């Protein structure tokens, strides 16, 4: 991972346009090719980013940029769309690189681990004819919660969360992009399964062709809680 602290401005062009004016920010370039721009606020979410597959090139500023004090330019181009980031660096305060190695993946809390086990045992919750291939299918960037086949025999990757938000959709998107490069697996579709799915996450998932499934923990455990229902 490359970590840069720099004074920069950022322009995003593609499905939408966005501009970050000149300020000091944290720039992260990960081994999977993703580029993220963070401020000192806003919690864990980047101000802007480019997800893989993408390629980054460092180029010289043009005459106008150089006259404005730009010393270097990062051009980040997505491989499957016209989306592009242009980061104009005026000053670099720190530039370090660290080899993090292969991450063992997220350790699920009790509820997510139970949801994964129960859904694997009752895989037809996802649809008639679904069959389990395996749990914790390992990829070079982490484990997919469940790998299964749908009724037509096509491969399906399932990401499970207690609360489904945009980060979970992004995580599944990265898995799908990588797995669809494998001729033995593709085409691979995705299912984002959670006890609750935020509207923004659902919108993003459906835009990317990922199906959303709301899981009922009690139903998966075989508990009939009809006494608590209105109908």
């Amino acid at each position: 991972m490359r970590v840069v602290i720099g004074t920069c401005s950022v322009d995003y062009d593609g499905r939408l346009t966005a501009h970050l004016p000149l300020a000091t920010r944290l720039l992260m370039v990960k081994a999977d090719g993703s580029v993220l721009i963070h401020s000192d606020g806003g919690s864990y979410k980047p101000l802007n980013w480019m997800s893989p597959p993408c390629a980054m090139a460092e180029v010289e500023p043009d005459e106008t940029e150089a006259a404005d004090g730009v010393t270097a330019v990062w051009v980040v181009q997505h491989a499957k769309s016209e989306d592009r980031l242009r980061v104009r660096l005026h000053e670099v305060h720190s530039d370090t690189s660290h080899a993090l190695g292969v991450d063992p993946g997220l350790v699920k809390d009790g509820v997510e681990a139970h949801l994964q086990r129960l859904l694997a045992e009752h895989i037809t919750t996802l649809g008639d004819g679904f069959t389990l291939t395996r749990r914790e299918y390992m990829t070079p960037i982490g484990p997919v919660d469940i790998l299964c086949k749908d009724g037509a025999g096509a491969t399906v990757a399932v990401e499970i969360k207690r609360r489904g938000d945009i980060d979970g959709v992004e995580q599944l998107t990265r898995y799908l992009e990588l797995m669809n490069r494998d001729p033995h697996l593709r085409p691979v579709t995705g299912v984002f399964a959670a006890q609750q799915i935020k509207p923004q996450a659902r919108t993003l998932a459906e835009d990317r062709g990922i199906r959303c499934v709301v899981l009922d923990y009690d139903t998966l455990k075989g508990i009939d809680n009809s006494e608590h229902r209105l109908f």
Side-chain angles (χ1 to χ4, degrees), residues 130-190:
F130 270 69
T131 57
L132 177 68
T133 302
R134 65 167 298 169
R135 294 169 55 190
E136 297 288 338
Y137 179 83
M138 185 58 66
T139 76
I141 58 173
V144 174
D145 288 331
I146 290 179
L147 192 69
C148 57
K149 299 280 189 180
D150 64 16
T155 303
V156 180
V158 185
E159 181 63 28
I160 300 170
K161 301 291 185 187
R162 277 196 305 162
R163 298 180 182 87
D165 57 20
I166 285 177
D167 284 351
V169 178
E170 293 287 3
Q171 182 181 356
L172 179 54
T173 299
R174 292 193 292 272
Y175 290 145
L176 291 172
E177 288 176 345
L178 188 66
M179 295 170 73
N180 272 300
R181 300 177 198 171
D182 187 338
H184 300 292
L185 293 175
R186 68 182 181 219
V188 185
T189 58

Short mmCIF file of all heavy atoms in Angstrom, two decimals, residues 130-190:
data_model
loop_
_atom_site.label_atom_id
_atom_site.label_comp_id
_atom_site.label_asym_id
_atom_site.label_seq_id
_atom_site.Cartn_x
_atom_site.Cartn_y
_atom_site.Cartn_z
N PHE A 130 -31.24 -23.88 -5.62
CA PHE A 130 -29.91 -23.47 -5.20
C PHE A 130 -29.21 -24.61 -4.47
O PHE A 130 -29.85 -25.34 -3.69
CB PHE A 130 -29.99 -22.25 -4.28
CG PHE A 130 -29.94 -20.93 -5.00
CD1 PHE A 130 -31.01 -20.52 -5.79
CD2 PHE A 130 -28.84 -20.11 -4.90
CE1 PHE A 130 -30.98 -19.31 -6.45
CE2 PHE A 130 -28.79 -18.89 -5.55
CZ PHE A 130 -29.87 -18.48 -6.34
N THR A 131 -27.92 -24.76 -4.71
CA THR A 131 -27.11 -25.78 -4.03
C THR A 131 -25.83 -25.14 -3.51
O THR A 131 -25.26 -24.26 -4.16
CB THR A 131 -26.76 -26.95 -4.96
OG1 THR A 131 -26.08 -26.44 -6.12
CG2 THR A 131 -28.00 -27.71 -5.39
N LEU A 132 -25.38 -25.59 -2.36
CA LEU A 132 -24.17 -25.04 -1.73
C LEU A 132 -22.92 -25.63 -2.37
O LEU A 132 -22.82 -26.85 -2.55
CB LEU A 132 -24.18 -25.34 -0.23
CG LEU A 132 -22.94 -24.91 0.56
CD1 LEU A 132 -22.85 -23.39 0.62
CD2 LEU A 132 -22.97 -25.51 1.96
N THR A 133 -21.98 -24.77 -2.72
CA THR A 133 -20.66 -25.22 -3.17
C THR A 133 -19.71 -25.29 -1.98
O THR A 133 -19.13 -26.32 -1.70
CB THR A 133 -20.09 -24.28 -4.25
OG1 THR A 133 -20.99 -24.23 -5.35
CG2 THR A 133 -18.73 -24.79 -4.74
N ARG A 134 -19.56 -24.17 -1.27
CA ARG A 134 -18.78 -24.17 -0.04
C ARG A 134 -18.94 -22.83 0.68
O ARG A 134 -19.33 -21.83 0.09
CB ARG A 134 -17.31 -24.45 -0.29
CG ARG A 134 -16.56 -23.41 -1.10
CD ARG A 134 -15.07 -23.63 -1.02
NE ARG A 134 -14.60 -23.48 0.34
CZ ARG A 134 -13.37 -23.82 0.73
NH1 ARG A 134 -12.51 -24.35 -0.11
NH2 ARG A 134 -13.00 -23.63 1.99
N ARG A 135 -18.65 -22.84 1.97
CA ARG A 135 -18.56 -21.63 2.76
C ARG A 135 -17.12 -21.13 2.74
O ARG A 135 -16.19 -21.89 2.55
CB ARG A 135 -18.98 -21.89 4.20
CG ARG A 135 -20.45 -22.24 4.38
CD ARG A 135 -20.72 -22.74 5.80
NE ARG A 135 -20.30 -21.80 6.84
CZ ARG A 135 -20.26 -22.08 8.14
NH1 ARG A 135 -20.62 -23.29 8.55
NH2 ARG A 135 -19.88 -21.18 9.02
N GLU A 136 -16.97 -19.81 2.95
CA GLU A 136 -15.64 -19.19 3.04
C GLU A 136 -14.78 -19.57 1.83
O GLU A 136 -13.67 -20.09 1.98
CB GLU A 136 -14.95 -19.59 4.35
CG GLU A 136 -15.67 -19.14 5.60
CD GLU A 136 -15.57 -17.63 5.84
OE1 GLU A 136 -14.65 -17.00 5.31
OE2 GLU A 136 -16.45 -17.10 6.54
N TYR A 137 -15.28 -19.28 0.64
CA TYR A 137 -14.50 -19.54 -0.58
C TYR A 137 -13.42 -18.48 -0.69
O TYR A 137 -13.70 -17.29 -0.79
CB TYR A 137 -15.41 -19.52 -1.81
CG TYR A 137 -14.66 -19.75 -3.10
CD1 TYR A 137 -14.37 -21.03 -3.53
CD2 TYR A 137 -14.25 -18.67 -3.88
CE1 TYR A 137 -13.67 -21.24 -4.71
CE2 TYR A 137 -13.56 -18.86 -5.06
CZ TYR A 137 -13.27 -20.16 -5.47
OH TYR A 137 -12.59 -20.36 -6.65
N MET A 138 -12.16 -18.91 -0.64
CA MET A 138 -11.05 -17.98 -0.57
C MET A 138 -10.70 -17.41 -1.95
O MET A 138 -10.59 -18.14 -2.92
CB MET A 138 -9.82 -18.65 0.03
CG MET A 138 -8.64 -17.71 0.26
SD MET A 138 -9.04 -16.30 1.33
CE MET A 138 -9.33 -17.13 2.89
N THR A 139 -10.52 -16.08 -1.98
CA THR A 139 -10.01 -15.40 -3.16
C THR A 139 -8.72 -14.69 -2.75
O THR A 139 -8.42 -14.59 -1.55
CB THR A 139 -11.02 -14.37 -3.69
OG1 THR A 139 -10.98 -13.20 -2.84
CG2 THR A 139 -12.43 -14.94 -3.74
N PRO A 140 -7.94 -14.18 -3.69
CA PRO A 140 -6.70 -13.48 -3.33
C PRO A 140 -6.92 -12.24 -2.47
O PRO A 140 -5.97 -11.74 -1.86
CB PRO A 140 -6.10 -13.11 -4.70
CG PRO A 140 -6.64 -14.13 -5.64
CD PRO A 140 -8.04 -14.39 -5.15
N ILE A 141 -8.16 -11.72 -2.41
CA ILE A 141 -8.40 -10.51 -1.62
C ILE A 141 -9.31 -10.78 -0.42
O ILE A 141 -9.76 -9.85 0.23
CB ILE A 141 -8.99 -9.38 -2.48
CG1 ILE A 141 -10.30 -9.82 -3.15
CG2 ILE A 141 -7.99 -8.92 -3.52
CD1 ILE A 141 -11.02 -8.69 -3.88
N GLY A 142 -9.54 -12.05 -0.11
CA GLY A 142 -10.36 -12.37 1.05
C GLY A 142 -11.40 -13.43 0.73
O GLY A 142 -11.61 -13.79 -0.43
N PRO A 143 -12.08 -13.94 1.77
CA PRO A 143 -13.03 -15.02 1.57
C PRO A 143 -14.44 -14.54 1.24
O PRO A 143 -14.96 -13.61 1.87
CB PRO A 143 -13.03 -15.74 2.92
CG PRO A 143 -12.72 -14.66 3.91
CD PRO A 143 -11.84 -13.67 3.20
N VAL A 144 -15.05 -15.17 0.24
CA VAL A 144 -16.47 -14.96 -0.04
C VAL A 144 -17.25 -15.80 0.96
O VAL A 144 -16.95 -16.99 1.17
CB VAL A 144 -16.80 -15.38 -1.48
CG1 VAL A 144 -18.30 -15.30 -1.73
CG2 VAL A 144 -16.05 -14.50 -2.47
N ASP A 145 -18.27 -15.24 1.58
CA ASP A 145 -19.00 -15.93 2.63
C ASP A 145 -19.56 -17.27 2.16
O ASP A 145 -19.37 -18.30 2.81
CB ASP A 145 -20.15 -15.06 3.16
CG ASP A 145 -19.63 -13.89 3.99
OD1 ASP A 145 -18.57 -14.03 4.60
OD2 ASP A 145 -20.31 -12.86 4.02
N ILE A 146 -20.27 -17.26 1.05
CA ILE A 146 -20.86 -18.49 0.52
C ILE A 146 -20.72 -18.49 -1.00
O ILE A 146 -20.99 -17.49 -1.66
CB ILE A 146 -22.35 -18.62 0.89
CG1 ILE A 146 -22.51 -18.89 2.38
CG2 ILE A 146 -23.04 -19.72 0.08
CD1 ILE A 146 -23.96 -19.00 2.85
N LEU A 147 -20.29 -19.63 -1.53
CA LEU A 147 -20.29 -19.85 -2.98
C LEU A 147 -21.30 -20.95 -3.25
O LEU A 147 -21.28 -22.00 -2.61
CB LEU A 147 -18.90 -20.27 -3.47
CG LEU A 147 -18.71 -20.24 -4.99
CD1 LEU A 147 -18.72 -18.80 -5.50
CD2 LEU A 147 -17.40 -20.92 -5.37
N CYS A 148 -22.22 -20.70 -4.19
CA CYS A 148 -23.27 -21.67 -4.46
C CYS A 148 -23.62 -21.66 -5.93
O CYS A 148 -23.06 -20.89 -6.72
CB CYS A 148 -24.49 -21.40 -3.59
SG CYS A 148 -25.20 -19.74 -3.78
N LYS A 149 -24.57 -22.52 -6.31
CA LYS A 149 -25.08 -22.59 -7.67
C LYS A 149 -26.57 -22.30 -7.63
O LYS A 149 -27.28 -22.74 -6.71
CB LYS A 149 -24.86 -23.99 -8.26
CG LYS A 149 -23.40 -24.42 -8.36
CD LYS A 149 -22.71 -23.82 -9.57
CE LYS A 149 -21.32 -24.43 -9.77
NZ LYS A 149 -20.62 -23.85 -10.94
N ASP A 150 -27.05 -21.57 -8.65
CA ASP A 150 -28.50 -21.34 -8.72
C ASP A 150 -29.17 -22.50 -9.44
O ASP A 150 -28.52 -23.49 -9.80
CB ASP A 150 -28.81 -20.00 -9.38
CG ASP A 150 -28.37 -19.94 -10.85
OD1 ASP A 150 -28.10 -20.99 -11.46
OD2 ASP A 150 -28.31 -18.81 -11.39
N GLY A 151 -30.47 -22.40 -9.66
CA GLY A 151 -31.22 -23.49 -10.27
C GLY A 151 -30.77 -23.83 -11.67
O GLY A 151 -30.99 -24.97 -12.13
N ALA A 152 -30.13 -22.87 -12.35
CA ALA A 152 -29.64 -23.11 -13.71
C ALA A 152 -28.19 -23.58 -13.73
O ALA A 152 -27.62 -23.80 -14.79
CB ALA A 152 -29.78 -21.84 -14.54
N GLY A 153 -27.58 -23.73 -12.54
CA GLY A 153 -26.20 -24.21 -12.45
C GLY A 153 -25.15 -23.12 -12.54
O GLY A 153 -23.96 -23.42 -12.61
N ALA A 154 -25.57 -21.85 -12.53
CA ALA A 154 -24.61 -20.75 -12.59
C ALA A 154 -24.05 -20.45 -11.21
O ALA A 154 -24.73 -20.62 -10.19
CB ALA A 154 -25.28 -19.51 -13.18
N THR A 155 -22.82 -19.95 -11.16
CA THR A 155 -22.15 -19.66 -9.90
C THR A 155 -22.69 -18.36 -9.28
O THR A 155 -22.88 -17.36 -9.98
CB THR A 155 -20.64 -19.53 -10.12
OG1 THR A 155 -20.14 -20.74 -10.71
CG2 THR A 155 -19.90 -19.29 -8.80
N VAL A 156 -22.90 -18.39 -7.97
CA VAL A 156 -23.39 -17.23 -7.24
C VAL A 156 -22.51 -17.02 -6.02
O VAL A 156 -22.25 -17.95 -5.26
CB VAL A 156 -24.86 -17.42 -6.80
CG1 VAL A 156 -25.35 -16.19 -6.03
CG2 VAL A 156 -25.76 -17.71 -7.99
N ALA A 157 -22.03 -15.78 -5.83
CA ALA A 157 -21.26 -15.40 -4.64
C ALA A 157 -22.17 -14.62 -3.70
O ALA A 157 -22.87 -13.70 -4.12
CB ALA A 157 -20.05 -14.56 -5.03
N VAL A 158 -22.16 -15.00 -2.42
CA VAL A 158 -23.05 -14.39 -1.44
C VAL A 158 -22.23 -13.70 -0.35
O VAL A 158 -21.36 -14.32 0.26
CB VAL A 158 -23.98 -15.45 -0.79
CG1 VAL A 158 -24.97 -14.77 0.16
CG2 VAL A 158 -24.71 -16.27 -1.85
N GLU A 159 -22.50 -12.42 -0.14
CA GLU A 159 -21.88 -11.67 0.97
C GLU A 159 -22.95 -11.43 2.03
O GLU A 159 -24.05 -10.98 1.72
CB GLU A 159 -21.34 -10.34 0.47
CG GLU A 159 -20.65 -9.50 1.54
CD GLU A 159 -19.41 -10.17 2.11
OE1 GLU A 159 -18.77 -10.97 1.40
OE2 GLU A 159 -19.08 -9.88 3.28
N ILE A 160 -22.62 -11.77 3.28
CA ILE A 160 -23.59 -11.73 4.37
C ILE A 160 -23.19 -10.67 5.40
O ILE A 160 -22.03 -10.62 5.83
CB ILE A 160 -23.70 -13.10 5.06
CG1 ILE A 160 -24.16 -14.16 4.04
CG2 ILE A 160 -24.68 -13.06 6.23
CD1 ILE A 160 -24.07 -15.58 4.56
N LYS A 161 -24.15 -9.83 5.79
CA LYS A 161 -23.93 -8.82 6.81
C LYS A 161 -25.13 -8.80 7.76
O LYS A 161 -26.22 -9.23 7.41
CB LYS A 161 -23.79 -7.43 6.18
CG LYS A 161 -22.65 -7.29 5.19
CD LYS A 161 -21.30 -7.38 5.86
CE LYS A 161 -20.18 -7.13 4.86
NZ LYS A 161 -18.85 -7.36 5.47
N ARG A 162 -24.88 -8.31 8.98
CA ARG A 162 -26.03 -8.02 9.85
C ARG A 162 -26.79 -6.81 9.31
O ARG A 162 -28.00 -6.86 9.14
CB ARG A 162 -25.55 -7.72 11.27
CG ARG A 162 -25.30 -8.95 12.12
CD ARG A 162 -25.21 -8.58 13.57
NE ARG A 162 -24.22 -7.54 13.85
CZ ARG A 162 -24.17 -6.80 14.95
NH1 ARG A 162 -25.09 -6.95 15.87
NH2 ARG A 162 -23.23 -5.91 15.13
N ARG A 163 -26.05 -5.74 9.07
CA ARG A 163 -26.63 -4.52 8.51
C ARG A 163 -25.93 -4.25 7.19
O ARG A 163 -24.72 -4.01 7.16
CB ARG A 163 -26.48 -3.33 9.45
CG ARG A 163 -27.19 -3.52 10.79
CD ARG A 163 -27.01 -2.30 11.68
NE ARG A 163 -27.65 -2.48 12.97
CZ ARG A 163 -27.08 -3.05 14.02
NH1 ARG A 163 -25.84 -3.49 13.93
NH2 ARG A 163 -27.73 -3.19 15.16
N GLY A 164 -26.68 -4.27 6.12
CA GLY A 164 -26.10 -4.09 4.79
C GLY A 164 -25.97 -2.64 4.42
O GLY A 164 -26.96 -1.93 4.29
N ASP A 165 -24.71 -2.17 4.24
CA ASP A 165 -24.50 -0.80 3.81
C ASP A 165 -23.65 -0.79 2.54
O ASP A 165 -23.33 -1.83 1.98
CB ASP A 165 -23.87 0.05 4.91
CG ASP A 165 -22.54 -0.52 5.42
OD1 ASP A 165 -21.92 -1.33 4.69
OD2 ASP A 165 -22.13 -0.15 6.53
N ILE A 166 -23.29 0.40 2.09
CA ILE A 166 -22.58 0.54 0.82
C ILE A 166 -21.23 -0.17 0.84
O ILE A 166 -20.81 -0.75 -0.17
CB ILE A 166 -22.42 2.04 0.49
CG1 ILE A 166 -23.76 2.61 0.01
CG2 ILE A 166 -21.35 2.26 -0.57
CD1 ILE A 166 -23.74 4.09 -0.30
N ASP A 167 -20.54 -0.16 1.99
CA ASP A 167 -19.24 -0.83 2.05
C ASP A 167 -19.36 -2.32 1.75
O ASP A 167 -18.48 -2.92 1.11
CB ASP A 167 -18.61 -0.63 3.44
CG ASP A 167 -18.03 0.76 3.60
OD1 ASP A 167 -17.97 1.50 2.60
OD2 ASP A 167 -17.65 1.12 4.72
N GLY A 168 -20.44 -2.95 2.22
CA GLY A 168 -20.65 -4.37 1.93
C GLY A 168 -20.86 -4.63 0.45
O GLY A 168 -20.38 -5.62 -0.10
N VAL A 169 -21.58 -3.72 -0.21
CA VAL A 169 -21.79 -3.84 -1.65
C VAL A 169 -20.45 -3.68 -2.39
O VAL A 169 -20.15 -4.41 -3.34
CB VAL A 169 -22.81 -2.80 -2.15
CG1 VAL A 169 -22.98 -2.88 -3.67
CG2 VAL A 169 -24.15 -3.00 -1.47
N GLU A 170 -19.65 -2.71 -1.96
CA GLU A 170 -18.34 -2.51 -2.58
C GLU A 170 -17.46 -3.75 -2.40
O GLU A 170 -16.74 -4.15 -3.32
CB GLU A 170 -17.64 -1.28 -1.97
CG GLU A 170 -18.30 0.04 -2.29
CD GLU A 170 -18.09 0.50 -3.73
OE1 GLU A 170 -17.47 -0.23 -4.52
OE2 GLU A 170 -18.58 1.59 -4.06
N GLN A 171 -17.52 -4.35 -1.21
CA GLN A 171 -16.73 -5.56 -0.95
C GLN A 171 -17.15 -6.69 -1.89
O GLN A 171 -16.30 -7.34 -2.50
CB GLN A 171 -16.93 -5.99 0.51
CG GLN A 171 -16.12 -7.21 0.92
CD GLN A 171 -16.39 -7.60 2.37
OE1 GLN A 171 -17.12 -6.93 3.08
NE2 GLN A 171 -15.80 -8.70 2.80
N LEU A 172 -18.45 -6.91 -2.04
CA LEU A 172 -18.93 -7.96 -2.93
C LEU A 172 -18.58 -7.64 -4.38
O LEU A 172 -18.23 -8.54 -5.16
CB LEU A 172 -20.43 -8.13 -2.76
CG LEU A 172 -21.11 -9.19 -3.65
CD1 LEU A 172 -20.45 -10.55 -3.51
CD2 LEU A 172 -22.59 -9.28 -3.32
N THR A 173 -18.65 -6.37 -4.76
CA THR A 173 -18.29 -5.96 -6.12
C THR A 173 -16.85 -6.33 -6.44
O THR A 173 -16.55 -6.84 -7.54
CB THR A 173 -18.49 -4.45 -6.30
OG1 THR A 173 -19.87 -4.13 -6.09
CG2 THR A 173 -18.09 -4.00 -7.70
N ARG A 174 -15.94 -6.11 -5.48
CA ARG A 174 -14.53 -6.47 -5.70
C ARG A 174 -14.37 -7.97 -5.89
O ARG A 174 -13.61 -8.43 -6.76
CB ARG A 174 -13.67 -5.97 -4.53
CG ARG A 174 -13.56 -4.45 -4.44
CD ARG A 174 -12.47 -4.04 -3.48
NE ARG A 174 -12.78 -4.36 -2.10
CZ ARG A 174 -13.45 -3.57 -1.28
NH1 ARG A 174 -13.91 -2.41 -1.70
NH2 ARG A 174 -13.68 -3.92 -0.03
N TYR A 175 -15.08 -8.76 -5.07
CA TYR A 175 -15.03 -10.21 -5.23
C TYR A 175 -15.52 -10.62 -6.61
O TYR A 175 -14.91 -11.46 -7.29
CB TYR A 175 -15.88 -10.90 -4.16
CG TYR A 175 -15.34 -10.83 -2.75
CD1 TYR A 175 -16.21 -10.73 -1.66
CD2 TYR A 175 -13.98 -10.88 -2.50
CE1 TYR A 175 -15.73 -10.68 -0.37
CE2 TYR A 175 -13.49 -10.83 -1.20
CZ TYR A 175 -14.37 -10.72 -0.13
OH TYR A 175 -13.89 -10.66 1.15
N LEU A 176 -16.64 -10.06 -7.04
CA LEU A 176 -17.24 -10.44 -8.32
C LEU A 176 -16.33 -10.08 -9.49
O LEU A 176 -16.17 -10.86 -10.43
CB LEU A 176 -18.60 -9.77 -8.49
CG LEU A 176 -19.71 -10.27 -7.56
CD1 LEU A 176 -20.95 -9.38 -7.70
CD2 LEU A 176 -20.06 -11.72 -7.87
N GLU A 177 -15.72 -8.90 -9.43
CA GLU A 177 -14.81 -8.49 -10.50
C GLU A 177 -13.64 -9.46 -10.63
O GLU A 177 -13.23 -9.82 -11.73
CB GLU A 177 -14.30 -7.07 -10.25
CG GLU A 177 -15.36 -6.00 -10.47
CD GLU A 177 -14.86 -4.61 -10.13
OE1 GLU A 177 -13.82 -4.50 -9.44
OE2 GLU A 177 -15.52 -3.63 -10.53
N LEU A 178 -13.13 -9.91 -9.50
CA LEU A 178 -12.00 -10.85 -9.51
C LEU A 178 -12.44 -12.24 -9.96
O LEU A 178 -11.80 -12.86 -10.81
CB LEU A 178 -11.38 -10.91 -8.11
CG LEU A 178 -10.07 -11.70 -7.99
CD1 LEU A 178 -8.97 -11.00 -8.76
CD2 LEU A 178 -9.66 -11.84 -6.53
N MET A 179 -13.56 -12.73 -9.42
CA MET A 179 -14.00 -14.09 -9.73
C MET A 179 -14.45 -14.23 -11.19
O MET A 179 -14.30 -15.31 -11.78
CB MET A 179 -15.14 -14.48 -8.79
CG MET A 179 -14.70 -14.58 -7.34
SD MET A 179 -16.08 -14.75 -6.18
CE MET A 179 -16.57 -16.44 -6.52
N ASN A 180 -14.95 -13.16 -11.78
CA ASN A 180 -15.39 -13.24 -13.17
C ASN A 180 -14.22 -13.26 -14.15
O ASN A 180 -14.44 -13.42 -15.36
CB ASN A 180 -16.34 -12.08 -13.49
CG ASN A 180 -17.78 -12.45 -13.18
OD1 ASN A 180 -18.33 -13.39 -13.74
ND2 ASN A 180 -18.40 -11.70 -12.27
N ARG A 181 -13.00 -13.12 -13.64
CA ARG A 181 -11.82 -13.32 -14.49
C ARG A 181 -11.43 -14.80 -14.58
O ARG A 181 -10.60 -15.16 -15.40
CB ARG A 181 -10.64 -12.52 -13.94
CG ARG A 181 -10.87 -11.02 -13.88
CD ARG A 181 -9.68 -10.32 -13.25
NE ARG A 181 -10.00 -8.99 -12.77
CZ ARG A 181 -9.20 -8.25 -12.03
NH1 ARG A 181 -8.00 -8.72 -11.68
NH2 ARG A 181 -9.56 -7.03 -11.63
N ASP A 182 -12.01 -15.64 -13.71
CA ASP A 182 -11.68 -17.06 -13.67
C ASP A 182 -12.60 -17.81 -14.64
O ASP A 182 -13.81 -17.87 -14.43
CB ASP A 182 -11.88 -17.59 -12.24
CG ASP A 182 -11.41 -19.03 -12.07
OD1 ASP A 182 -11.32 -19.75 -13.08
OD2 ASP A 182 -11.15 -19.43 -10.92
N PRO A 183 -12.04 -18.39 -15.71
CA PRO A 183 -12.89 -19.08 -16.69
C PRO A 183 -13.63 -20.28 -16.12
O PRO A 183 -14.63 -20.72 -16.68
CB PRO A 183 -11.90 -19.50 -17.78
CG PRO A 183 -10.56 -19.53 -17.10
CD PRO A 183 -10.62 -18.45 -16.07
N HIS A 184 -13.15 -20.82 -14.99
CA HIS A 184 -13.82 -21.97 -14.37
C HIS A 184 -15.03 -21.55 -13.53
O HIS A 184 -15.85 -22.41 -13.18
CB HIS A 184 -12.83 -22.74 -13.49
CG HIS A 184 -11.65 -23.27 -14.23
ND1 HIS A 184 -11.73 -24.27 -15.17
CD2 HIS A 184 -10.33 -22.91 -14.19
CE1 HIS A 184 -10.54 -24.52 -15.67
NE2 HIS A 184 -9.66 -23.71 -15.09
N LEU A 185 -15.14 -20.27 -13.22
CA LEU A 185 -16.25 -19.79 -12.40
C LEU A 185 -17.26 -18.95 -13.17
O LEU A 185 -18.45 -19.04 -12.92
CB LEU A 185 -15.71 -18.96 -11.23
CG LEU A 185 -14.90 -19.68 -10.15
CD1 LEU A 185 -14.36 -18.67 -9.15
CD2 LEU A 185 -15.73 -20.73 -9.45
N ARG A 186 -16.78 -18.12 -14.06
CA ARG A 186 -17.66 -17.16 -14.71
C ARG A 186 -18.70 -17.83 -15.61
O ARG A 186 -18.42 -18.92 -16.13
CB ARG A 186 -16.83 -16.14 -15.49
CG ARG A 186 -16.09 -16.69 -16.69
CD ARG A 186 -15.28 -15.59 -17.31
NE ARG A 186 -14.58 -16.09 -18.49
CZ ARG A 186 -13.34 -15.75 -18.83
NH1 ARG A 186 -12.66 -14.90 -18.08
NH2 ARG A 186 -12.79 -16.25 -19.92
N PRO A 187 -19.86 -17.19 -15.74
CA PRO A 187 -20.24 -15.92 -15.12
C PRO A 187 -20.66 -16.10 -13.67
O PRO A 187 -21.34 -17.06 -13.32
CB PRO A 187 -21.43 -15.47 -15.97
CG PRO A 187 -22.04 -16.75 -16.44
CD PRO A 187 -20.90 -17.71 -16.63
N VAL A 188 -20.22 -15.18 -12.81
CA VAL A 188 -20.56 -15.21 -11.39
C VAL A 188 -21.47 -14.01 -11.09
O VAL A 188 -21.12 -12.88 -11.38
CB VAL A 188 -19.31 -15.14 -10.50
CG1 VAL A 188 -19.68 -15.30 -9.03
CG2 VAL A 188 -18.29 -16.18 -10.92
N THR A 189 -22.63 -14.28 -10.52
CA THR A 189 -23.52 -13.21 -10.07
C THR A 189 -23.43 -13.08 -8.56
O THR A 189 -22.86 -13.95 -7.89
CB THR A 189 -24.97 -13.47 -10.49
OG1 THR A 189 -25.39 -14.73 -9.95
CG2 THR A 189 -25.10 -13.52 -12.01
N GLY A 190 -23.98 -12.00 -8.03
CA GLY A 190 -23.85 -11.74 -6.60
C GLY A 190 -25.18 -11.62 -5.90
O GLY A 190 -26.17 -11.16 -6.47
#
